[in-house]
Amino acid sequence: MFKEFLDLGRHPIANAFLREDGFDTEFFFDLKVCWDGESKLVSIKDFVEPERIFNEDYPYNTSNSFPMVEHFKRTAEMLKKDFNPKTVLEIGSNDGPFITNFDRETSVCVEPCGNFSLKTAHMGYQSYTSFWTTELSEKIKSHHGKMDLIYAANCICHIHDLDDTFNAVKNLLSDDGVFVFEDPSLLRILERGSYDQIYDEHPHIFSVTALNNLLKRNGLTLFRVDNLSVHGGSNRIYAAKGNVGVEQSVADNLTEESIFGINHFQTYEIFAKRVENSKEELLRCLKNLKHNGKKIISIGATAKSTTVFNYCKIDTELIDVITDTTAEKQGKFSPGMHIPILSREDVNILDYDYVYLGAWNFKDVIANKEREFVENGGKFITHVPQVMVFS
Ligand code: TMP
């Protein structure tokens, strides 16, 4: 039984950064969020066709983000030590920052964005340009055999049909293999009010509670959870086939979520009210600053900021420009609100009084890089966990 609790209005594809000639034909959809009282899964009400999102033009290449490259290196080292897999498959391998920590001969990449699967193919990895389905898992099994480790980062929550996804994993996983995946944590989003994790690419936002139910329904056992700080708070989920010892971290997470109220619809209604208040406060803050003649720039042309800017209707009246380190985003405009995006080097940050943190999850990295801005009296604005200005 799905119950709607949040309506964020009309939204574009969050990562579809565009040029001026694309403004007239830009695609929009209704971004509403609901909760399934049975499985406890939180999902977007109207899914966007995945082909619209994950295609040759997908701009988010993970290797561009140094903190994420380091994160995947550490993750790969830990998985080798704990599970010693002989064969590895990554679902949503992007441009390869995780899989390149494993041998080419025994690793397989699955990635629907052709621009990225081509990159891992060029590096010598078996790469399938495809969405993850049971049909594909059959094909891979017949070519490469079963896999000891199936890994996915920020990918499983992108897939609409979770029953097929988990069934495909079960089909390809060796009998004592392990399925490890990490995605943003619903609990952290609810705690921090970070509603900007909600966009077309995240048709589902996972609690450990919902995953425990869904994995069980598909013959997999969730046996370990790691709580991570990446993407503002994520969970790394470990699952296996058959009777595997369930570790204490699972009960700990289920208890923490239950105490917070993950199993009650009222929790989501309270969150929706907090989101509305956040919008009002952010607009009040930005409008006051503009009224006082201040100049505001944003750092990080993130999918998250697409949600915030479109929900709050923040355009160039309030934020002049966004900078981003990703070459593919530079020279384009933000989806929906059409704020220009430049490289950081093309902007004199000292011309600005305030930086809105579009990439608030990299707050410390950005503050560290922008020491001169702060020394000159510059201040940062964020809306997480509440709207605030700080230096
Ligand atoms: P993410 O929050 O989805 O990982 O995206 C972060 C975006 O922010 C990505 O496009 C790169 C950009 N970015 C900067 O522009 N400057 C920075 O210092 C960092 C860390 C990220």
Side-chain angles (χ1 to χ4, degrees), residues 15 17 59-62 64-68 197 199 231-232 298-304 322-326 329-330 342 344 358-363 365-367 369-370:
N15 265 317
F17 299 92
Y60 189 97
N61 64 318
T62 316
N64 183 55
S65 174
F66 176 72
M68 291 310 289
Q197 291 281 9
Y199 49 90
H231 287 299
S298 181
I299 293 187
T302 57
K304 293 188 283 295
I322 305 171
T323 68
D324 199 284
T325 48
T326 313
K329 296 180 185 177
Q330 295 161 2
L342 295 176
R344 172 64 188 78
W360 55 263
N361 45 320
F362 292 119
K363 180 176 85 161
V365 178
I366 293 169
K369 280 191 204 166
E370 304 297 353

Side-chain angles (χ1 to χ4, degrees), residues 154-168:
N154 304 303
C155 175
I156 301 300
C157 73
H158 292 178
I159 306 178
H160 299 170
D161 187 345
L162 294 174
D163 288 328
D164 183 67
T165 297
F166 295 147
N167 186 53

Side-chain angles (χ1 to χ4, degrees), residues 29-230:
F29 70 102
D30 289 322
L31 185 51
K32 294 179 179 167
V33 195
C34 56
W35 178 73
D36 177 10
E38 200 185 318
S39 68
K40 316 298 182 216
L41 181 65
V42 166
S43 307
I44 286 180
K45 198 166 173 212
D46 301 308
F47 294 154
V48 176
E49 310 91 284
E51 292 79 7
R52 268 192 191 279
I53 307 169
F54 304 107
N55 51 46
E56 295 277 327
D57 297 325
Y58 189 67
Y60 189 97
N61 64 318
T62 316
S63 295
N64 183 55
S65 174
F66 176 72
M68 291 310 289
V69 172
E70 284 297 297
H71 169 76
F72 288 126
K73 193 164 170 243
R74 283 195 305 273
T75 305
E77 275 161 17
M78 177 277 292
L79 292 171
K80 282 180 194 171
K81 187 166 148 277
D82 280 16
F83 302 106
N84 191 24
K86 305 275 178 295
T87 46
V88 183
L89 175 128
E90 185 178 10
I91 309 170
S93 44
N94 201 276
D95 60 345
F98 174 79
I99 206 73
T100 45
N101 295 289
F102 294 88
D103 292 340
R104 287 175 182 78
E105 294 71 31
T106 50
S107 305
V108 177
C109 303
V110 175
E111 170 56 59
C113 303
N115 46 341
F116 296 140
S117 68
L118 207 63
K119 284 195 181 167
T120 50
H122 279 151
M123 289 187 257
Y125 288 85
Q126 289 289 333
S127 302
Y128 289 80
T129 309
S130 176
F131 290 100
W132 176 246
T133 60
T134 297
E135 202 184 329
L136 180 70
S137 76
E138 274 299 332
K139 189 171 159 188
I140 293 175
K141 190 161 70 175
S142 67
H143 280 80
H144 309 275
K146 290 194 171 188
M147 295 289 146
D148 293 338
L149 169 65
I150 298 181
Y151 178 79
N154 304 303
C155 175
I156 301 300
C157 73
H158 292 178
I159 306 178
H160 299 170
D161 187 345
L162 294 174
D163 288 328
D164 183 67
T165 297
F166 295 147
N167 186 53
V169 166
K170 199 173 72 175
N171 186 35
L172 193 58
L173 201 60
S174 59
D175 287 346
D176 49 4
V178 58
F179 172 39
V180 180
F181 61 105
E182 54 187 76
D183 289 291
S185 151
L186 175 66
L187 179 62
R188 299 292 166 245
I189 290 171
L190 296 176
E191 275 175 349
R192 292 180 183 159
S194 49
Y195 68 89
D196 49 2
Q197 291 281 9
I198 302 168
Y199 49 90
D200 54 288
E201 268 179 45
H202 293 165
H204 308 290
I205 299 181
F206 291 145
S207 60
V208 176
T209 306
L211 286 173
N212 195 36
N213 294 334
L214 293 166
L215 288 162
K216 199 179 289 170
R217 184 161 101 187
N218 287 285
L220 293 164
T221 305
L222 195 168
F223 68 90
R224 182 191 295 175
V225 182
D226 292 338
N227 303 124
L228 312 171
S229 62
V230 291

